[in-house]
Amino acid sequence: MESLRKLEELQKTIMLMQSYGVVSNSSDHDSNRFIASLVLFLIKPCGELDLAKKCALVSDYVPKISSGFLQKASICLSQKGFQQHNVGEEFQINCVDKSDSDFLQSDFEEMAMIGLDSVQRANSTLEDFCRSYFMFHGMDVNKPNEIFKYLPLLSFTESYIYQLDSLNEKTLHAPRSGEKFLERRAKEVEPMFISKFAHVFKTDPFRPLADLLGYHGLLTERMREEFKHGEEYWALERMLCCALVNRKEISVEDVIKAIHLKSFDYRVLNLLLYQLRGEQVNEVHMDFLSISEFLVEVADDLFDYEDDVLENNFNILRMFVRIYGPSAPAMVAKYIAQAEEKYSILLKTLDSQLSLEYHRRCEEATREGIVTI
C-alpha cells in the first residue's frame, strides 16, 4: 500500500508540473519521475527552512555537484561501514571495512594527489605568476592576504601539472623505447604510485584535477581546452625529441605549435583565478599575455639550449637546428621579430597604468635573472 501511495503521489506531482509547464507531456518518463521526486523532497519540512531558502540552496549548490562527484558518492555510500573524513582538497575516501581495499586501490588513480617534490618545483612558477599576472586582476602582489586567499588551489593545480610534466620528462630520457617506457618505468620504480599514475597519464591525466575543480564549481570548458593543450604539448614533445634522437624528420609546423602550447599551465592558472574571483575572462588581457608567453618561452629556450640538448628536452632552437641547419638562429630571430611586432600592438590595448606596471615587472625580472619580455 505504501508503494502504491508513493506512485500515486509521484503521478499527481507530474501532472501538476505539466499543467504549470514545468515539464512537457512529451518529456522522458524517467526524467519526469526524477523531477517529481525532487519537488516532493523540496516541499517536505526540514527544520526552519522555508521554500524560498530551499530554492536558494538548490540554486547555490547544485551547480557544484558534478557527475564525477555523484559517481564517487554512489560507490562510497553503498560500501559497508562507510565513513568520510575531512581530509581537505585531496577528496580522499576511507572505509571502515578493511576488506574493501580493492575499492581504495581502484579509486587511487582518480584522486588528484601531489608530492612534495612537485610542490617545490612549482614554487618558482607560482611566484612568477603572482608577480606577473595578479596585476591583470587589479590585485596587489605585495599584500599577503591577496596571495594566500587564492594560493591553495593555485598551488595545488600548478603542482599537479608539474607532477605530470615530471613523469613526461622520464619518457624523454629513454626516447628510443617510445611510449612503452612508461610501462617499464612503472614496474621498476616504487610500486603503487608510479604504476597508477603512469596509467592515468596514458589515459586521461587531467581527469582527477578536473574532477576536483568541478567539485568546487571552478571548472570551465576553457580550462578543459587548456588541459587538452597540455596533453597535446607533451605528446608533441615526446614525438619531436624521439625523432631527433632517431634522426627522423620533423616539421616546423609541429615545432611552432608546441612552443605556443607550452605555456598552457599559466593560462590554466589565469583562468582559475578568474573563476576564484568570480570575474569574466578579459579577452584583451588574454591575447596580450598569450603573445608575451610565446616570447618568454622562446627566450627561455635560447637561454637553456645546451641543457635542453643534453637532457633531450623540447627546445625551439634545437628543433630549428635539425630543420634549418646553420640558418636556425636566423629563423628563430624571424619568429621573434614577428611576435615582438604583435606584442607592441597588443601592449597599446592595455590600460596605461597596467602597461606601465607590466613594463616595470619585466625590468624587475630581468634584474633578477628571470627571462621575460
Side-chain angles (χ1 to χ4, degrees):
M1 291 296 294
E2 179 64 18
S3 298
L4 288 174
R5 186 190 66 78
K6 289 183 177 180
L7 284 173
E8 184 180 359
E9 196 174 46
L10 272 175
Q11 187 59 38
K12 286 182 178 178
T13 306
I14 291 172
M15 292 175 66
L16 180 65
M17 291 191 300
Q18 289 174 340
S19 67
Y20 277 83
V22 176
V23 297
S24 65
N25 293 328
S26 60
S27 295
D28 177 73
H29 180 66
D30 289 335
S31 299
N32 284 349
R33 286 194 62 178
F34 174 77
I35 299 299
S37 298
L38 178 61
V39 170
L40 289 171
F41 172 74
L42 289 173
I43 62 178
K44 286 182 179 179
C46 184
E48 300 297 321
L49 296 178
D50 59 21
L51 295 178
K53 178 62 176 177
K54 290 177 181 178
C55 288
L57 288 171
V58 170
S59 177
D60 288 342
Y61 288 95
V62 166
K64 298 180 181 180
I65 301 175
S66 66
S67 59
F69 168 76
L70 291 177
Q71 288 172 357
K72 288 182 172 64
S74 175
I75 294 172
C76 295
L77 294 175
S78 66
Q79 300 298 320
K80 181 180 178 182
F82 167 81
Q83 284 186 336
Q84 183 172 350
H85 299 279
N86 183 13
V87 292
E89 303 306 324
E90 291 186 356
F91 198 27
Q92 293 182 341
I93 293 167
N94 193 14
C95 296
V96 174
D97 188 353
K98 299 302 180 182
S99 66
D100 223 349
S101 58
D102 288 343
F103 162 71
L104 288 176
Q105 291 181 5
S106 65
D107 196 54
F108 178 86
E109 64 191 38
E110 298 182 3
M111 298 180 190
M113 302 179 68
I114 57 175
L116 178 59
D117 179 65
S118 300
V119 176
Q120 292 171 328
R121 290 186 63 204
N123 198 48
S124 59
T125 297
L126 276 170
E127 180 183 350
D128 179 53
F129 176 79
C130 292
R131 296 169 70 182
S132 302
Y133 284 64
F134 272 26
M135 65 182 72
F136 288 88
H137 296 263
M139 300 168 62
D140 187 350
V141 73
N142 295 309
K143 294 182 178 179
N145 62 308
E146 295 206 353
I147 295 178
F148 285 98
K149 183 177 182 180
Y150 305 111
L151 188 60
L153 272 169
L154 291 174
S155 177
F156 188 93
T157 299
E158 183 62 20
S159 299
Y160 186 92
I161 293 173
Y162 259 92
Q163 193 157 263
L164 287 175
D165 186 64
S166 178
L167 185 60
N168 182 67
E169 285 179 356
K170 288 179 172 60
T171 72
L172 299 177
H173 296 159
R176 292 184 185 277
S177 58
E179 297 293 335
K180 291 185 178 179
F181 176 72
L182 273 175
E183 297 174 5
R184 192 175 75 245
R185 181 67 177 171
K187 295 176 181 177
E188 292 174 353
V189 191
E190 289 286 341
M192 185 175 176
F193 184 79
I194 294 295
S195 176
K196 293 291 184 181
F197 213 79
H199 173 69
V200 171
F201 186 85
K202 291 175 63 180
T203 53
D204 188 357
F206 284 105
R207 185 163 63 85
L209 179 60
D211 285 348
L212 181 66
L213 295 176
Y215 173 72
H216 288 281
L218 297 168
L219 185 66
T220 66
E221 282 303 313
R222 199 156 175 179
M223 284 187 206
R224 289 185 186 276
E225 288 178 15
E226 291 300 336
F227 290 154
K228 291 186 182 299
H229 290 164
E231 292 183 61
E232 190 175 2
Y233 167 69
W234 286 322
L236 281 170
E237 182 179 32
R238 293 192 298 271
M239 182 268 288
L240 290 167
C241 291
C242 185
L244 258 62
V245 171
N246 289 295
R247 303 178 185 279
K248 294 182 179 179
E249 295 297 319
I250 59 175
S251 72
V252 66
E253 291 80 13
D254 285 339
V255 175
I256 295 302
K257 187 174 188 179
I259 196 72
H260 276 289
L261 294 173
K262 195 174 181 181
S263 290
F264 78 93
D265 59 328
Y266 275 84
R267 292 187 286 274
V268 168
L269 293 178
N270 203 21
L271 292 169
L272 178 56
L273 189 55
Y274 278 116
Q275 284 293 100
L276 287 167
R277 291 174 56 80
E279 300 173 335
Q280 291 291 322
V281 176
N282 188 313
E283 298 299 341
V284 172
H285 293 174
M286 293 293 288
D287 288 343
F288 169 77
L289 289 169
S290 178
I291 195 66
S292 177
E293 289 157 2
F294 171 80
L295 287 167
V296 169
E297 290 293 357
V298 174
D300 280 341
D301 280 5
L302 297 179
F303 185 81
D304 296 332
Y305 175 73
E306 292 184 4
D307 289 339
D308 286 339
V309 171
L310 291 173
E311 296 174 10
N312 191 35
N313 292 330
F314 172 84
N315 182 293
I316 188 172
L317 179 57
R318 181 189 178 206
M319 302 296 152
F320 273 26
V321 167
R322 170 57 58 89
I323 298 171
Y324 297 109
S327 301
M331 293 304 298
V332 172
K334 176 184 175 183
Y335 279 94
I336 291 175
Q338 292 173 350
E340 285 180 336
E341 182 179 351
K342 187 174 181 180
Y343 177 90
S344 298
I345 294 172
L346 291 174
L347 183 64
K348 296 175 182 177
T349 65
L350 301 182
D351 175 81
S352 58
Q353 182 60 34
L354 178 58
S355 176
L356 180 61
E357 285 184 41
Y358 193 73
H359 181 70
R360 287 173 179 168
R361 166 58 189 154
C362 293
E363 292 181 336
E364 181 181 66
T366 301
R367 287 195 301 270
E368 294 171 358
I370 301 172
V371 180
T372 187
I373 301 304

